[in-house]
Amino acid sequence: MKPRRWTKYGEKNMSIKNQAQKKTDLLDSLNEEQKSAVTHGKGPVLIIAGAGTGKTTVITRRVAWLIEQGLAKPDEILALTFTDKSSAEMEERVDKLLPYGYLDLWISTFHAFGQRILESHALDIGLPINFRLLSQTEQWVLVRENLDKFGLDYYRPLGNPTRFIHALLSHFSRAKDEMITPAEYLAYAKELQLNLDGKMAKDDLQAAEAARVKEVAEAFAVYQKLLANNGALDFGDLIAYTYQLFAKRPKILEQYRRQFKYVLVDEFQDTNYAQYELVKLLSAPANNITVVGDDDQSIYKFRGASVSNILKFKDAYQQTREITLTKNYRSRQNLLDLSYAFIQKNSPDRLEDKLKISKKLIAKRPGLGVVDFKVYQDYHAEALAVVEKIAEIKSQEQDATWNDFAILVRANDTAEPFLDVLERTALPYIQLSRKGLYRKPVVADVISYLRLLDNYHESKAMFRAINFPLFKFTNDDLAKIVDFSSRKTYSLYEAMKHPELISNLSGEGADSANKILSLIEKHTNLARSKSVAELFVAVVEDLKIAKSPSNQEAMEYNLGVLDQFNRKIQDFCSRCERKFLKDFMQLIEMELSSGELGSMDLDSDMGPEAIKIITVHSAKGLEFRYVFLPALADKKFPAIGRSEPIEIPDKLVREILPAGDANLQEERRLFYVAATRARDGLYFSYAQDYGGSTVRKPSIFLKDLGLVSGELSLARPTGQVAFASPKKSARKLRPPKTFSFSSVSAFIKCPLEYKYVYLLRLPTRGSAALSFGQTIHRTLENYLKIYLELLTRSQGDLFGNSTSAKKPDKLPAEEKLLELYEQSWVDDWYDDKSQKDKYRKRGRELLKKIYEKFVASPPTPVYLEKKFRLDLDGRVFTGKIDRADKTPLGLTIIDYKTGASRALGKVDKDQLLIYQWAVQDYLKEKVGGLQYWYFDGDLVIKDFLGDEAQIDDLKKRFLETIRNIEDAVASDSFEKYHKKHQHCEYENLA
C-alpha cells in the first residue's frame, strides 16, 4: 500500500467539515490579543507576554496553526526555548493539538539545537564525529589537571591554587555568550598594553590592569586549545560553533534556511547576544521569526541587560509587528495591581517606557486575592507561623491540596527553618532545588559507603554505614563500637574486626558486624574488577539502600533520587576510559572541593501531594494558589549585589546595559516573578532576628509595596499546629507520557518490572549480551555517519583544514571500523575477563564479515538511529530505528540483534512492524523490506515485509496493553496483571 503523503492535517482525505472544525478548535478560548499572535502571517513579530497571559498557549497554537494552514510542515518550524522541561512541555502540547501524531518537530533548547547541528556536520568544523560535550565539572577537572599550562599569576593565590577555576570558566562562558573569541580578547589586551607603552609615565594601576587582562586573554586561548586537543566542546561552544558553521559554510546555512521556514523563540528576554545572532542569521532573508518575552521576568541576563535583545530586535527588523498580551488567567486583580505598581520602580529601563506600551495586566478571574504581611521576633517564630497559616488555610479550604502551597525563598539557606518546622509537624513537603543531589540522605549514604570501599579507614563513612536500617545495632552496640575504637586508636573498620569487641556486642549486633564486614569484602572485590556502574547496582541491592523501613512512599522517593545519581554514574562511565570506583570517587571529591553539590532535575510534580519549598529563581514558570514570601529583611531580599569575579571589559560587551542599579533592578524582577506566581493569596513576612547581633530592618521592597510605615507590631505563632504525624498524602504514580516497544514488552513480561524499572527507575543489572549489543550499535552508527558525511562533504573545516570536494569512491577502511569498535566498547556487565575476551574477539570477527558485506554491496543509509513519535489512539508511542537504507523498492528497515537467530517463522516481528508503521505514517516513506541482522557468531539476515492487517493487529494488541498499564498506574494495582513467577525479583518490593 502506498504511504500517505503529508497534507494540512496529515490525512489526504479529511473532510472539509473536519478541517474547519480543527481550525476553530485552535482559536477557541483565545482572546483577541492571543488570536492576533497565533495567526500572524509572514515576517517578524514581537510578542510581549506578561506573567500568566498564556505565553506557552500562544507559541504552541501558533506552531499548530502554521502547520494547519499549510504554511509549513512540522519539520519546517524551529522552536527554541531554554530548559529541557519547557521544550518537552511545548512538544507535548503541540502533539495534542495536531492529529495522527504527525510530528517531526524541531522543538528544543538552544544548546540541544546546536549539538544536533554540530553532530550532523562534525567534519565540517574539524571535530571528531563523536566529540564530547563537557559538563561544568569536567571543564573544572580539565583546567585543574592542566593548571600549569595557564601561566596564572594574578588568578592563582598561593593558599588555594584552584580557587579561581570556576570564576575563569564562568568568564570564558560569558565571553562566548558575547561572541568574543580568544583572538579578539588577545587583541584587546595587546591594545591596552600599547596604549600604556605610549604614555610617558606609567600608572601602576593601569599597568596591573593591563597585565591582568593579558593573563585572562591568554588563559582563554589555552582553554580553547585544551578543548580542541581533547575533541571536546563546552556549552558555550555549541552556540559559537553553530554560528561559525552557518556563517562560513553558505551551503549548509542555505540548507537549513530552506528547511526552517518559521523560527520561534521563547523567553527571548533571557537570550544572550550569541543566541540572538544565531537565530537572526538562520531566519534571514525571509525573517519569519516570532520572539516571545517579558523584560520584567528577565532574571538571568548579563549585568541586567533585560531589554537588550528586544531593542536590538526592533532595530534589526523595522517592520516588526508588536503584540502585547495583558489578559492574565492566573491571578486576582489586586495581586496583579500590587505587582505592577512594584515593578514600575524599574522604570525607565523597562520596555513599557522604551516601546511606549502598557503592560498593566488585567485579571480574567473575578474577585480579590489575599495580601497579608506579618513581622516576627525571630526566624523560628516566622517559620512556625508560616506553617501554621498553611495548615489553617488547608483546613478551611475544602478543595485545597498541599500542592496549592509554596514557600518561595531568595536563597536555599533561608529554607532551613521552614524545613525543620515541617519535619517536626510531619506535614508533607518537598524541597525543590536544582542543586544538592549529594546532600540528599539516600545519595549521601551511597557516597559515604563508596568512600569507605575506597578507604577502609574512613571512620565517618563507616559510622554512617553501620547506621543503615539493614544492620541491627542497638544504641548500646554503637556506643561500645565507638568506645573500643577510641581506646584502641583503631578505625571503626579495624575495631569491628576485633574478636574482643564482637564478643561484647548483642547477638543482633554481632550478626550485623559480620554482615557488614562480609558486604564490604564483597563490594571491594567488585570495585577492583567491575565498573562503578556495576558496583552501584550491587550496593543498592545488597544494602537495600532504597528500601525505607517506614513506608512505600519514602522508598519510591528514594528511588527517584537514586535514579538521578545513577544517571550521573552512567554519564561518567560513558565519558571516561577508566570507569572504576577510585576514578569516580576522585571526580566526586573534586566536585565537592570545587563547591559542586550535584545538579538535579527540577520537577514540581515529583512525589506525593506536598507543600513546595523552592527558590524564586527555580519558581519561574510555576504557579500556586497561595505563595509565601518570607525573610523579606534588609540584605536578604534584595540580596547584596555581587559583581562578577572577573568582569568582561566594557569595550568588548555587545549587550545594551541599563543605566540604573543593575543588581537592584534584577532583584526587583525576581520579586515580581515571585509575586506573580500566586493565584489567590500572597503572604509576606520578615523577622527582626535572623541570628547575629543586629536587629534586621524590613526589606525596602516592603516599603515599595506600601506594607511598611511607622511602627511595626510583632505577630506571634498561634501554637495551633500539632507536632504530630498527620496522615500522609498518598503518593500517586504519574502516568507515563510516552510508550515504547520496550516498555510495553516489559509490562507484558512482568508488570512489576515495568513499575519499578520504567516508572520508579530502580537501578538494574545489565548483561554481557546487552553491553555487546550496545557496542555493535555504536560502532556501526558512528561508522555509517562518517560514510554519510564523506558523501556530502564539500568544503574544508572551520579550522582551515582542506578537504576534497570529490565524493569517496569507497567505504572508510576496515581499520577505521575496527578503530571505532575499540572506541565504542562498553566494558560493563561481563562475568569475568575470559567472557569479555571472547565477546571482544567475536565482535572483531563479526565486523570483518559486515565490512565484507559492505564492500560487496555498499550500504545506502538514509536514516541512522532515527527517532519517531506516533499516535496510538491519543497516546504517544516513541521509538528509534537503527537504520533505514534506500532501495529501488523503498526503504529497507534494519534492526540489529545480538541474540541467537531463529527460523523466520519464529521471529518476533512486532518490533520491525512498529518501524514499518513509523516509516509509513511518520516519515511518509515507502517500505520495501524489513530485516533483522543477527550477530550470533555470524551475520544472519532475516528478511520479510508486513502488511496493513499485521500492523493493525499489532496496534490493537499494544493498545490493549497500554490501557492495562494506564489502569495499573491509576489504581497502583500492578499485582492484578502480574503472573506469579517462581523467582520474580520484584515481588518482594511490592
Side-chain angles (χ1 to χ4, degrees):
M1 178 178 177
K2 186 176 180 179
R4 299 181 294 249
R5 303 303 298 174
W6 183 93
T7 61
K8 286 185 181 180
Y9 283 105
E11 177 62 42
K12 195 169 185 178
N13 297 317
M14 180 174 282
S15 70
I16 298 298
K17 178 181 177 181
N18 285 344
Q19 291 187 33
Q21 180 64 45
K22 191 67 182 181
K23 180 176 179 180
T24 303
D25 290 345
L26 284 177
L27 301 181
D28 273 356
S29 75
L30 299 183
N31 61 52
E32 292 307 311
E33 296 168 350
Q34 292 173 326
K35 287 180 183 177
S36 180
V38 167
T39 60
H40 172 74
K42 295 185 177 182
V45 58
L46 168 63
I47 303 171
I48 307 298
T53 56
K55 169 178 63 72
T56 304
T57 296
V58 166
I59 296 172
T60 53
R61 294 209 186 185
R62 175 156 175 75
V63 170
W65 183 84
L66 290 170
I67 295 170
E68 182 245 21
Q69 293 294 306
L71 297 173
K73 298 178 183 178
D75 64 347
E76 293 175 342
I77 299 172
L78 173 64
L80 297 170
T81 186
F82 276 83
T83 66
D84 291 327
K85 183 178 180 181
S86 58
S87 64
E89 179 187 359
M90 196 178 296
E91 186 167 0
E92 184 180 351
R93 287 211 202 179
V94 174
D95 195 5
K96 291 177 180 178
L97 292 171
L98 295 175
Y100 310 119
Y102 274 76
L103 284 178
D104 195 8
L105 294 165
W106 285 63
I107 297 178
S108 74
T109 63
F110 273 92
H111 291 122
F113 171 71
Q115 186 171 357
R116 182 172 178 180
I117 295 296
L118 295 179
E119 285 176 344
S120 298
H121 302 279
L123 295 179
D124 291 286
I125 59 170
L127 288 171
I129 197 156
N130 53 349
F131 66 81
R132 291 195 308 141
L133 177 63
L134 300 188
S135 65
Q136 287 185 334
T137 299
E138 288 170 323
Q139 296 169 48
W140 189 93
V141 171
L142 179 67
V143 175
R144 177 68 182 87
E145 291 177 343
N146 294 275
L147 206 53
D148 58 312
K149 297 176 182 177
F150 282 81
L152 297 178
D153 178 26
Y154 186 96
Y155 289 110
R156 185 168 180 157
L158 295 177
N160 183 358
T162 64
R163 178 181 169 193
F164 277 97
I165 292 178
H166 275 306
L168 284 169
L169 289 171
S170 176
H171 185 72
F172 301 156
S173 176
R174 279 296 314 130
K176 292 176 183 181
D177 290 347
E178 292 291 303
M179 294 184 72
I180 303 167
T181 65
E184 287 177 290
Y185 216 135
L186 287 167
Y188 172 75
K190 185 177 180 181
E191 180 185 346
L192 274 186
Q193 187 62 48
L194 288 173
N195 291 339
L196 189 64
D197 291 343
K199 293 184 178 180
M200 294 295 293
K202 292 185 179 179
D203 185 301
D204 288 342
L205 290 177
Q206 287 183 327
E209 175 63 7
R212 184 193 69 82
V213 171
K214 181 173 181 288
E215 180 175 306
V216 174
E218 290 175 344
F220 190 15
V222 170
Y223 173 67
Q224 284 304 110
K225 186 175 181 182
L226 281 173
L227 289 174
N229 290 344
N230 285 273
L233 304 181
D234 64 19
F235 282 93
D237 289 329
L238 293 176
I239 306 301
Y241 283 156
T242 302
Y243 180 86
Q244 288 185 48
L245 176 72
F246 288 157
K248 297 181 179 180
R249 297 290 176 264
K251 288 186 178 179
I252 295 174
L253 173 60
E254 185 58 31
Q255 170 192 337
Y256 287 103
R257 279 180 170 175
R258 284 197 307 269
Q259 177 178 344
F260 299 127
K261 294 180 178 178
Y262 289 86
V263 177
L264 298 89
V265 183
D266 189 17
E267 303 288 7
F268 187 63
Q269 77 279 351
D270 285 328
T271 53
N272 58 49
Y273 181 83
Q275 290 165 338
Y276 171 51
E277 290 297 312
L278 175 62
V279 295
K280 188 167 69 170
L281 178 67
L282 185 59
S283 60
N287 297 329
N288 293 325
I289 179 170
T290 300
V291 298
V292 185
D294 178 13
D295 61 307
D296 291 332
Q297 297 185 77
S298 176
I299 57 177
Y300 297 109
K301 278 311 292 283
F302 169 64
R303 295 200 205 165
S306 59
V307 300
S308 178
N309 277 351
I310 294 178
L311 294 180
K312 286 179 179 290
F313 187 87
K314 285 279 294 178
D315 289 340
Y317 304 103
Q318 296 293 322
Q319 304 303 316
T320 297
R321 182 180 178 190
E322 289 178 30
I323 300 171
T324 305
L325 305 183
T326 56
K327 293 181 176 60
N328 177 285
Y329 294 84
R330 176 186 301 157
S331 307
R332 307 289 185 182
Q333 187 65 56
N334 62 321
L335 305 185
L336 296 177
D337 290 344
L338 177 143
S339 302
Y340 178 69
F342 172 81
I343 199 61
Q344 284 187 305
K345 298 287 184 181
N346 271 359
S347 296
D349 289 317
R350 297 174 57 242
L351 284 179
E352 193 166 40
D353 301 275
K354 304 285 186 183
L355 302 182
K356 308 300 180 186
I357 59 176
S358 172
K359 294 180 61 185
K360 181 176 173 61
L361 298 178
I362 303 166
K364 298 297 288 183
R365 297 177 65 221
L368 298 178
V370 177
V371 178
D372 187 57
F373 168 60
K374 293 288 191 300
V375 186
Y376 299 94
Q377 182 174 348
D378 57 44
Y379 63 92
H380 296 292
E382 181 184 25
L384 181 56
V386 165
V387 173
E388 285 180 345
K389 190 64 179 178
I390 290 173
E392 176 191 324
I393 297 171
K394 175 69 165 59
S395 65
Q396 293 175 350
E397 298 284 344
Q398 291 188 354
D399 62 336
T401 71
W402 295 118
N403 288 333
D404 289 328
F405 300 92
I407 301 172
L408 304 187
V409 295
R410 175 63 182 84
N412 278 312
D413 57 359
T414 305
E416 293 300 327
F418 301 93
L419 298 174
D420 178 60
V421 173
L422 287 166
E423 189 66 36
R424 288 188 291 133
T425 57
L427 295 181
Y429 74 92
I430 292 176
Q431 183 183 18
L432 297 175
S433 175
R434 298 185 191 278
K435 295 288 184 183
L437 177 63
Y438 303 154
R439 285 184 173 177
K440 294 295 182 184
V442 68
V443 173
D445 284 345
V446 172
I447 291 175
S448 184
Y449 187 77
L450 294 178
R451 191 177 280 133
L452 175 63
L453 297 181
D454 198 36
N455 179 4
Y456 288 171
H457 302 295
E458 281 274 2
S459 288
K460 288 182 180 179
M462 187 66 175
F463 186 76
R464 187 168 188 130
I466 63 180
N467 279 280
F468 289 172
L470 177 66
F471 308 114
K472 308 299 180 184
F473 293 104
T474 65
N475 289 335
D476 187 50
D477 287 332
L478 294 174
K480 289 178 180 178
I481 293 169
V482 173
D483 179 66
F484 186 83
S485 170
S486 299
R487 283 191 293 110
K488 299 292 186 180
T489 63
Y490 292 158
S491 68
L492 288 183
Y493 173 80
E494 290 174 312
M496 291 183 65
K497 294 187 72 174
H498 205 287
E500 181 183 340
L501 172 62
I502 299 299
S503 64
N504 284 324
L505 299 179
S506 67
E508 276 192 323
D511 290 342
S512 293
N514 290 326
K515 181 183 290 187
I516 192 171
L517 291 172
S518 174
L519 286 172
I520 288 173
E521 181 180 1
K522 172 188 175 181
H523 295 148
T524 301
N525 290 332
L526 280 175
R528 292 187 182 121
S529 59
K530 301 292 185 180
S531 71
V532 66
E534 296 172 84
L535 175 65
F536 171 75
V537 173
V539 166
V540 171
E541 285 183 352
D542 295 341
L543 296 175
K544 304 191 186 314
I545 293 287
K547 187 81 173 178
S548 170
S550 54
N551 55 59
Q552 177 87 354
E553 176 187 309
M555 185 192 77
E556 292 176 2
Y557 178 79
N558 284 343
L559 282 174
V561 176
L562 283 173
D563 174 55
Q564 298 202 41
F565 189 63
N566 187 32
R567 278 182 269 162
K568 168 81 178 180
I569 293 174
Q570 297 291 340
D571 184 62
F572 167 81
C573 289
S574 68
R575 291 170 179 266
C576 303
E577 291 185 14
R578 292 188 56 80
K579 306 173 184 179
F580 294 108
L581 172 64
K582 184 173 289 293
D583 309 294
F584 179 71
M585 290 310 297
Q586 284 178 352
L587 174 65
I588 292 295
E589 299 301 345
M590 278 188 175
E591 287 192 0
L592 292 171
S593 66
S594 75
E596 174 62 46
L597 297 177
S599 59
M600 299 183 65
D601 292 337
L602 185 68
D603 190 343
S604 63
D605 298 324
M606 186 176 71
E609 180 192 319
I611 301 162
K612 306 299 189 296
I613 301 97
I614 184 171
T615 65
V616 179
H617 273 102
S618 298
K620 187 176 179 185
L622 306 178
E623 63 177 63
F624 306 92
R625 282 185 68 181
Y626 305 102
V627 167
F628 289 77
L629 272 169
L632 295 178
D634 184 41
K635 297 182 177 58
K636 290 182 77 70
F637 201 173
I640 299 172
R642 292 177 182 165
S643 60
E644 295 181 330
I646 309 174
E647 290 199 344
I648 295 176
D650 285 347
K651 190 171 181 179
L652 296 177
V653 174
R654 294 182 168 97
E655 302 272 11
I656 300 173
L657 300 177
D661 184 330
N663 176 71
L664 184 57
Q665 289 183 358
E666 176 142 344
E667 291 292 304
R668 281 201 191 100
R669 289 193 295 271
L670 264 176
F671 191 91
Y672 178 80
V673 165
T676 53
R677 301 309 93 196
R679 302 183 73 240
D680 295 326
L682 262 174
Y683 296 84
F684 305 108
S685 63
Y686 103 97
Q688 294 180 336
D689 179 7
Y690 286 99
S693 58
T694 60
V695 175
R696 290 284 187 144
K697 296 179 180 179
S699 166
I700 60 169
F701 289 170
L702 291 172
K703 297 176 182 177
D704 291 342
L705 291 167
L707 297 176
V708 172
S709 60
E711 288 294 320
L712 296 173
S713 58
L714 292 178
R716 290 181 176 81
T718 63
Q720 293 177 351
V721 65
F723 284 80
S725 297
K727 185 178 180 181
K728 290 227 174 185
S729 303
R731 176 189 177 106
K732 294 182 178 179
L733 290 172
R734 284 178 291 169
K737 293 182 178 180
T738 63
F739 299 90
S740 67
F741 173 78
S742 299
S743 66
V744 171
S745 299
F747 186 87
I748 294 171
K749 173 189 170 188
C750 175
L752 291 179
E753 177 182 347
Y754 176 87
K755 175 182 177 180
Y756 284 99
V757 175
Y758 284 90
L759 293 182
L760 300 178
R761 300 189 180 278
L762 177 74
T764 55
R765 295 179 179 275
S767 66
L770 182 62
S771 294
F772 181 68
Q774 289 174 343
T775 299
I776 297 298
H777 273 75
R778 290 182 189 176
T779 302
L780 292 177
E781 178 189 1
N782 289 333
Y783 179 79
L784 291 173
K785 276 184 177 178
I786 292 174
Y787 177 56
L788 270 177
E789 196 161 349
L790 287 172
L791 289 174
T792 57
R793 190 177 178 194
S794 60
Q795 294 175 299
D797 66 41
L798 294 184
F799 302 113
N801 303 315
S802 62
T803 59
S804 172
K806 181 182 177 182
K807 290 186 178 180
D809 56 2
K810 60 181 180 180
L811 291 157
E814 179 182 312
E815 289 73 16
K816 185 64 178 178
L817 181 61
L818 297 177
E819 176 190 334
L820 290 170
Y821 175 62
E822 294 302 323
Q823 293 175 1
S824 304
W825 180 259
V826 178
D827 207 44
D828 303 336
W829 304 111
Y830 294 95
D831 293 338
D832 49 40
K833 186 176 184 299
S834 174
Q835 185 191 42
K836 187 188 299 184
D837 290 343
K838 287 179 181 177
Y839 267 101
R840 204 158 201 153
K841 180 182 178 182
R842 170 183 156 193
R844 293 180 67 87
E845 293 171 349
L846 175 64
L847 288 172
K848 289 179 179 180
K849 293 175 181 176
I850 292 175
Y851 184 77
E852 291 173 2
K853 174 171 176 55
F854 284 170
V855 171
S857 178
T860 54
V862 178
Y863 300 107
L864 296 170
E865 301 297 318
K866 178 64 176 177
K867 295 180 181 179
F868 60 81
R869 293 167 63 90
L870 296 164
D871 177 85
L872 184 56
D873 195 33
R875 286 81 167 177
V876 179
F877 196 92
T878 66
K880 185 166 63 175
I881 298 170
D882 289 349
R883 179 176 143 205
D885 281 17
K886 187 175 183 179
T887 72
L889 297 177
L891 292 184
T892 293
I893 304 170
I894 299 168
D895 191 66
Y896 304 134
K897 296 290 183 186
T898 50
S901 61
R902 290 166 288 179
L904 183 58
K906 297 181 179 180
V907 168
D908 182 356
K909 299 180 180 180
D910 282 355
Q911 190 166 5
L912 277 180
L913 287 173
I914 289 171
Y915 295 163
Q916 181 175 347
W917 167 29
V919 168
Q920 291 177 175
D921 281 20
Y922 182 78
L923 299 177
K924 313 300 180 297
E925 300 267 13
K926 181 181 179 182
V927 177
L930 307 173
Q931 292 183 355
Y932 282 123
W933 283 27
Y934 286 95
F935 303 144
D936 183 27
D938 203 346
L939 174 61
V940 178
I941 298 175
K942 303 293 186 182
D943 202 329
F944 65 98
L945 182 64
D947 56 35
E948 291 301 315
Q950 289 175 302
I951 293 175
D952 287 342
D953 175 67
L954 176 141
K955 290 179 183 179
K956 290 177 183 176
R957 289 187 285 110
F958 273 51
L959 181 58
E960 181 182 0
T961 303
I962 287 173
R963 285 172 175 154
N964 290 341
I965 291 173
E966 291 170 338
D967 174 64
V969 170
S971 59
D972 196 7
S973 56
F974 289 81
E975 290 77 6
K976 73 179 182 181
Y977 294 102
H978 178 66
K979 299 174 183 177
K980 294 290 182 181
H981 302 304
Q982 189 172 358
H983 300 291
C984 177
E985 59 185 303
Y986 301 98
E987 283 181 337
N988 65 342
L989 294 174

